[in-house]
PDB file of all heavy atoms in Angstrom:
ATOM      1  N   LYS A 432      -3.274   7.331  28.865  1.00 93.00           N
ATOM      2  CA  LYS A 432      -4.352   8.348  29.189  1.00 93.00           C
ATOM      3  C   LYS A 432      -3.878   9.671  28.650  1.00 93.00           C
ATOM      4  O   LYS A 432      -4.727  10.442  27.965  1.00 93.00           O
ATOM      5  CB  LYS A 432      -4.599   8.471  30.549  1.00 93.00           C
ATOM      6  CG  LYS A 432      -5.544   7.254  31.211  1.00 93.00           C
ATOM      7  CD  LYS A 432      -6.008   7.588  32.606  1.00 93.00           C
ATOM      8  CE  LYS A 432      -6.884   6.432  33.063  1.00 93.00           C
ATOM      9  NZ  LYS A 432      -7.244   6.570  34.391  1.00 93.00           N
ATOM     10  N   MET A 433      -2.721  10.021  28.763  1.00 94.00           N
ATOM     11  CA  MET A 433      -2.149  11.336  28.225  1.00 94.00           C
ATOM     12  C   MET A 433      -2.138  11.315  26.726  1.00 94.00           C
ATOM     13  O   MET A 433      -2.475  12.322  26.111  1.00 94.00           O
ATOM     14  CB  MET A 433      -0.701  11.523  28.874  1.00 94.00           C
ATOM     15  CG  MET A 433      -0.077  12.904  28.472  1.00 94.00           C
ATOM     16  SD  MET A 433       1.405  13.285  29.347  1.00 94.00           S
ATOM     17  CE  MET A 433       2.434  11.921  28.826  1.00 94.00           C
ATOM     18  N   LEU A 434      -1.902  10.250  26.248  1.00 95.00           N
ATOM     19  CA  LEU A 434      -1.798  10.102  24.741  1.00 95.00           C
ATOM     20  C   LEU A 434      -3.176  10.233  24.150  1.00 95.00           C
ATOM     21  O   LEU A 434      -3.420  11.051  23.178  1.00 95.00           O
ATOM     22  CB  LEU A 434      -1.407   8.568  24.345  1.00 95.00           C
ATOM     23  CG  LEU A 434       0.127   8.243  24.161  1.00 95.00           C
ATOM     24  CD1 LEU A 434       0.225   6.907  23.663  1.00 95.00           C
ATOM     25  CD2 LEU A 434       0.713   9.301  23.215  1.00 95.00           C
ATOM     26  N   GLU A 435      -4.196   9.666  24.751  1.00 94.00           N
ATOM     27  CA  GLU A 435      -5.494   9.732  24.265  1.00 94.00           C
ATOM     28  C   GLU A 435      -5.991  11.141  24.308  1.00 94.00           C
ATOM     29  O   GLU A 435      -6.662  11.633  23.400  1.00 94.00           O
ATOM     30  CB  GLU A 435      -6.455   8.810  25.073  1.00 94.00           C
ATOM     31  CG  GLU A 435      -6.171   7.306  24.885  1.00 94.00           C
ATOM     32  CD  GLU A 435      -6.978   6.455  25.800  1.00 94.00           C
ATOM     33  OE1 GLU A 435      -7.613   6.929  26.700  1.00 94.00           O
ATOM     34  OE2 GLU A 435      -6.912   5.253  25.488  1.00 94.00           O
ATOM     35  N   SER A 436      -5.688  11.834  25.375  1.00 95.00           N
ATOM     36  CA  SER A 436      -6.112  13.268  25.539  1.00 95.00           C
ATOM     37  C   SER A 436      -5.425  14.120  24.469  1.00 95.00           C
ATOM     38  O   SER A 436      -6.000  14.934  23.783  1.00 95.00           O
ATOM     39  CB  SER A 436      -5.775  13.798  26.962  1.00 95.00           C
ATOM     40  OG  SER A 436      -6.046  15.133  27.050  1.00 95.00           O
ATOM     41  N   MET A 437      -4.069  13.891  24.384  1.00 96.00           N
ATOM     42  CA  MET A 437      -3.433  14.811  23.373  1.00 96.00           C
ATOM     43  C   MET A 437      -3.894  14.387  21.863  1.00 96.00           C
ATOM     44  O   MET A 437      -3.859  15.312  21.097  1.00 96.00           O
ATOM     45  CB  MET A 437      -1.872  14.454  23.521  1.00 96.00           C
ATOM     46  CG  MET A 437      -0.997  15.304  22.587  1.00 96.00           C
ATOM     47  SD  MET A 437      -1.370  17.126  22.659  1.00 96.00           S
ATOM     48  CE  MET A 437      -0.865  17.464  24.319  1.00 96.00           C
ATOM     49  N   MET A 438      -4.169  13.171  21.586  1.00 96.00           N
ATOM     50  CA  MET A 438      -4.590  12.811  20.272  1.00 96.00           C
ATOM     51  C   MET A 438      -5.889  13.558  19.891  1.00 96.00           C
ATOM     52  O   MET A 438      -6.073  13.936  18.723  1.00 96.00           O
ATOM     53  CB  MET A 438      -4.742  11.290  20.007  1.00 96.00           C
ATOM     54  CG  MET A 438      -5.184  10.917  18.696  1.00 96.00           C
ATOM     55  SD  MET A 438      -4.086  11.474  17.364  1.00 96.00           S
ATOM     56  CE  MET A 438      -2.898  10.055  17.407  1.00 96.00           C
ATOM     57  N   GLU A 439      -6.758  13.792  20.959  1.00 96.00           N
ATOM     58  CA  GLU A 439      -8.042  14.542  20.609  1.00 96.00           C
ATOM     59  C   GLU A 439      -7.605  15.950  20.224  1.00 96.00           C
ATOM     60  O   GLU A 439      -8.227  16.464  19.369  1.00 96.00           O
ATOM     61  CB  GLU A 439      -8.952  14.412  21.826  1.00 96.00           C
ATOM     62  CG  GLU A 439      -9.592  13.080  22.117  1.00 96.00           C
ATOM     63  CD  GLU A 439     -10.244  12.617  20.941  1.00 96.00           C
ATOM     64  OE1 GLU A 439     -11.096  13.450  20.329  1.00 96.00           O
ATOM     65  OE2 GLU A 439     -10.105  11.413  20.524  1.00 96.00           O
ATOM     66  N   GLU A 440      -6.668  16.494  20.975  1.00 96.00           N
ATOM     67  CA  GLU A 440      -6.381  17.811  20.654  1.00 96.00           C
ATOM     68  C   GLU A 440      -5.568  17.946  19.214  1.00 96.00           C
ATOM     69  O   GLU A 440      -5.777  18.926  18.448  1.00 96.00           O
ATOM     70  CB  GLU A 440      -5.238  18.359  21.751  1.00 96.00           C
ATOM     71  CG  GLU A 440      -4.869  19.781  21.608  1.00 96.00           C
ATOM     72  CD  GLU A 440      -4.093  20.251  22.931  1.00 96.00           C
ATOM     73  OE1 GLU A 440      -4.182  19.754  23.816  1.00 96.00           O
ATOM     74  OE2 GLU A 440      -3.379  21.239  22.587  1.00 96.00           O
ATOM     75  N   VAL A 441      -4.863  16.906  18.923  1.00 96.00           N
ATOM     76  CA  VAL A 441      -4.119  16.910  17.628  1.00 96.00           C
ATOM     77  C   VAL A 441      -5.143  16.732  16.552  1.00 96.00           C
ATOM     78  O   VAL A 441      -5.007  17.426  15.519  1.00 96.00           O
ATOM     79  CB  VAL A 441      -3.089  15.722  17.648  1.00 96.00           C
ATOM     80  CG1 VAL A 441      -2.615  15.507  16.174  1.00 96.00           C
ATOM     81  CG2 VAL A 441      -1.853  15.999  18.608  1.00 96.00           C
ATOM     82  N   LYS A 442      -6.100  15.881  16.609  1.00 95.00           N
ATOM     83  CA  LYS A 442      -7.081  15.811  15.644  1.00 95.00           C
ATOM     84  C   LYS A 442      -7.906  17.041  15.428  1.00 95.00           C
ATOM     85  O   LYS A 442      -8.221  17.408  14.338  1.00 95.00           O
ATOM     86  CB  LYS A 442      -8.071  14.545  16.093  1.00 95.00           C
ATOM     87  CG  LYS A 442      -7.443  13.236  15.854  1.00 95.00           C
ATOM     88  CD  LYS A 442      -8.554  12.118  15.981  1.00 95.00           C
ATOM     89  CE  LYS A 442      -9.287  12.080  17.302  1.00 95.00           C
ATOM     90  NZ  LYS A 442     -10.229  10.897  17.375  1.00 95.00           N
ATOM     91  N   ALA A 443      -8.248  17.666  16.547  1.00 95.00           N
ATOM     92  CA  ALA A 443      -9.038  18.778  16.466  1.00 95.00           C
ATOM     93  C   ALA A 443      -8.192  20.009  15.685  1.00 95.00           C
ATOM     94  O   ALA A 443      -8.780  20.747  14.806  1.00 95.00           O
ATOM     95  CB  ALA A 443      -9.387  19.426  17.782  1.00 95.00           C
ATOM     96  N   PHE A 444      -6.974  19.949  15.997  1.00 95.00           N
ATOM     97  CA  PHE A 444      -6.046  21.102  15.370  1.00 95.00           C
ATOM     98  C   PHE A 444      -6.009  20.805  13.760  1.00 95.00           C
ATOM     99  O   PHE A 444      -6.230  21.777  12.899  1.00 95.00           O
ATOM    100  CB  PHE A 444      -4.616  20.950  15.880  1.00 95.00           C
ATOM    101  CG  PHE A 444      -3.620  21.781  15.071  1.00 95.00           C
ATOM    102  CD1 PHE A 444      -3.478  23.143  15.286  1.00 95.00           C
ATOM    103  CD2 PHE A 444      -2.960  21.216  14.005  1.00 95.00           C
ATOM    104  CE1 PHE A 444      -2.543  23.926  14.685  1.00 95.00           C
ATOM    105  CE2 PHE A 444      -1.981  21.899  13.337  1.00 95.00           C
ATOM    106  CZ  PHE A 444      -1.831  23.280  13.506  1.00 95.00           C
ATOM    107  N   PHE A 445      -5.786  19.517  13.355  1.00 94.00           N
ATOM    108  CA  PHE A 445      -5.668  19.262  11.935  1.00 94.00           C
ATOM    109  C   PHE A 445      -6.909  19.444  11.153  1.00 94.00           C
ATOM    110  O   PHE A 445      -6.987  19.717   9.968  1.00 94.00           O
ATOM    111  CB  PHE A 445      -4.933  17.915  11.738  1.00 94.00           C
ATOM    112  CG  PHE A 445      -3.465  17.900  11.882  1.00 94.00           C
ATOM    113  CD1 PHE A 445      -2.941  17.399  12.995  1.00 94.00           C
ATOM    114  CD2 PHE A 445      -2.717  18.469  10.989  1.00 94.00           C
ATOM    115  CE1 PHE A 445      -1.486  17.444  13.154  1.00 94.00           C
ATOM    116  CE2 PHE A 445      -1.298  18.609  11.074  1.00 94.00           C
ATOM    117  CZ  PHE A 445      -0.667  18.001  12.176  1.00 94.00           C
ATOM    118  N   LYS A 446      -8.078  19.018  11.848  1.00 92.00           N
ATOM    119  CA  LYS A 446      -9.349  19.129  11.229  1.00 92.00           C
ATOM    120  C   LYS A 446      -9.642  20.613  10.951  1.00 92.00           C
ATOM    121  O   LYS A 446     -10.212  20.906   9.799  1.00 92.00           O
ATOM    122  CB  LYS A 446     -10.494  18.530  12.128  1.00 92.00           C
ATOM    123  CG  LYS A 446     -10.521  17.028  12.161  1.00 92.00           C
ATOM    124  CD  LYS A 446     -11.584  16.521  13.133  1.00 92.00           C
ATOM    125  CE  LYS A 446     -11.660  14.895  13.061  1.00 92.00           C
ATOM    126  NZ  LYS A 446     -12.577  14.406  14.026  1.00 92.00           N
ATOM    127  N   LYS A 447      -9.328  21.525  11.736  1.00 91.00           N
ATOM    128  CA  LYS A 447      -9.503  22.981  11.670  1.00 91.00           C
ATOM    129  C   LYS A 447      -8.447  23.475  10.593  1.00 91.00           C
ATOM    130  O   LYS A 447      -8.981  24.270   9.663  1.00 91.00           O
ATOM    131  CB  LYS A 447      -9.363  23.592  12.931  1.00 91.00           C
ATOM    132  CG  LYS A 447      -9.585  25.110  12.805  1.00 91.00           C
ATOM    133  CD  LYS A 447      -9.554  25.721  14.218  1.00 91.00           C
ATOM    134  CE  LYS A 447      -9.833  27.352  14.090  1.00 91.00           C
ATOM    135  NZ  LYS A 447      -9.705  27.924  15.441  1.00 91.00           N
ATOM    136  N   ALA A 448      -7.339  23.067  10.676  1.00 91.00           N
ATOM    137  CA  ALA A 448      -6.132  23.589   9.959  1.00 91.00           C
ATOM    138  C   ALA A 448      -6.322  23.245   8.470  1.00 91.00           C
ATOM    139  O   ALA A 448      -5.853  23.936   7.571  1.00 91.00           O
ATOM    140  CB  ALA A 448      -4.798  23.326  10.499  1.00 91.00           C
TER     141      ALA A 448
END
Side-chain angles (χ1 to χ4, degrees):
K432 286 187 177 180
M433 184 171 62
L434 270 187
E435 292 172 349
S436 174
M437 183 52 67
M438 181 58 85
E439 291 303 314
E440 188 174 336
V441 169
K442 287 193 296 184
F444 171 85
F445 280 106
K446 284 179 180 177
K447 182 179 180 180

